[in-house]
Amino acid sequence: MPDPAPSASRQEQKERTRQSILSSALELSLKQGFAQVSLRQVSRHAGIVPTAFYRHFESMDQLGLALVEESFSTLRQMVRDAQRDPEVFENIIDAAADVLVETVKQRKTHFGFVSRERMGGPDVVRTAIRHELDLFVSELAVVLARLPNIEDWSSDDVQMVSRLFVRNMVTNAEEVVEMPDGRPDLEERIKEGARRQMRLIVVGFKDWRS
């Protein structure tokens, strides 16, 4: 029976190179924005020749789309975990503020990428970010539809309030991205601001009629 190890090793090396390209593009885009980063710069930073880049991505646009996908994967997992965890659901406002800040701190480069590129990136990247935010609104709406006083709302209204929460989330995430390391005072201020903003949205639930 042939030894599968060489094939597995090649696949691992390919994945490492792919991740190196993604990490290099993220790091370079921190300094100058993704639109200004060239394929040659990414290849040089990743320690590969430009022709090797094309074994992983067809173009810089495709690389940008992969970065968007990678950046939003954490957010999607965050919503799915919230649906499965009764404690998070019962204390959704306090838990959401804590989870958001911790998630952004762990993936600062990815959230920084989204923050910069959603307004100033290439068209294909901006469009992909808008699409991912719309998907996130839809996934969050499924969670919110289970909250008290909202069960009988129309789907359009649930989507509307979900979009308000997502806009709040994006604003607070951007504040966390800009927050210097080692500033628990600023971190707590962001969390408390997020809680107050979400409570303000929720106050209107009881009296709203679709």
Side-chain angles (χ1 to χ4, degrees):
M1 185 173 177
D3 183 359
S7 176
S9 179
R10 281 195 298 273
Q11 186 58 38
E12 287 168 3
Q13 179 58 46
K14 184 176 180 182
E15 182 56 30
R16 282 196 295 270
T17 302
R18 184 179 189 276
Q19 283 301 318
S20 178
I21 293 170
L22 288 165
S23 299
S24 295
L26 267 181
E27 189 173 333
L28 290 167
S29 68
L30 277 172
K31 301 170 185 172
Q32 56 195 93
F34 186 75
Q36 306 306 316
V37 176
S38 72
L39 187 153
R40 287 187 175 279
Q41 284 176 304
V42 172
S43 300
R44 184 165 59 248
H45 194 281
I48 60 173
V49 295
T51 51
F53 175 97
Y54 292 107
R55 296 184 197 133
H56 302 272
F57 301 99
E58 293 177 2
S59 64
M60 286 296 291
D61 280 350
Q62 192 184 63
L63 173 58
L65 294 178
L67 285 171
V68 173
E69 168 66 23
E70 191 174 73
S71 298
F72 275 91
S73 62
T74 305
L75 276 180
R76 284 197 294 272
Q77 191 59 50
M78 185 174 74
V79 172
R80 287 163 191 157
D81 289 346
Q83 292 181 71
R84 287 193 293 266
D85 188 340
E87 259 188 56
V88 170
F89 186 73
E90 287 170 12
N91 305 283
I92 194 165
I93 287 179
D94 288 342
D98 291 340
V99 170
L100 174 66
V101 171
E102 289 307 314
T103 302
V104 175
K105 280 170 60 183
Q106 291 169 18
R107 301 289 293 273
K108 246 186 179 183
T109 53
H110 288 91
F111 283 94
F113 175 81
V114 171
S115 173
R116 288 188 309 277
E117 305 302 328
R118 75 186 185 95
M119 300 301 292
D123 287 347
V124 65
V125 171
R126 291 202 313 270
T127 300
I129 290 172
R130 284 196 300 270
H131 176 68
E132 289 288 350
L133 285 172
D134 286 342
L135 287 177
F136 188 62
V137 166
S138 297
E139 291 201 25
L140 183 60
V142 173
V143 179
L144 295 178
R146 296 159 54 199
L147 292 176
N149 302 312
I150 201 173
E151 307 100 317
D152 299 325
W153 284 17
S154 70
S155 59
D156 282 349
D157 282 358
V158 176
Q159 288 275 327
M160 173 185 70
V161 80
S162 180
R163 194 168 295 279
L164 286 175
F165 274 111
V166 170
R167 286 175 179 166
N168 170 266
M169 177 208 72
V170 168
T171 300
N172 286 293
E174 289 175 347
E175 287 189 27
V176 177
V177 167
E178 297 299 322
M179 180 182 72
D181 293 334
R183 290 295 305 271
D185 56 325
L186 291 180
E187 183 177 326
E188 188 51 47
R189 188 185 305 169
I190 293 169
K191 286 182 182 178
E192 183 56 26
R195 293 185 195 109
R196 287 166 59 84
Q197 292 154 15
M198 285 188 281
R199 288 192 186 108
L200 182 59
I201 296 171
V202 171
V203 163
F205 281 13
K206 190 171 67 170
D207 295 322
W208 183 262
R209 297 291 178 271
S210 287

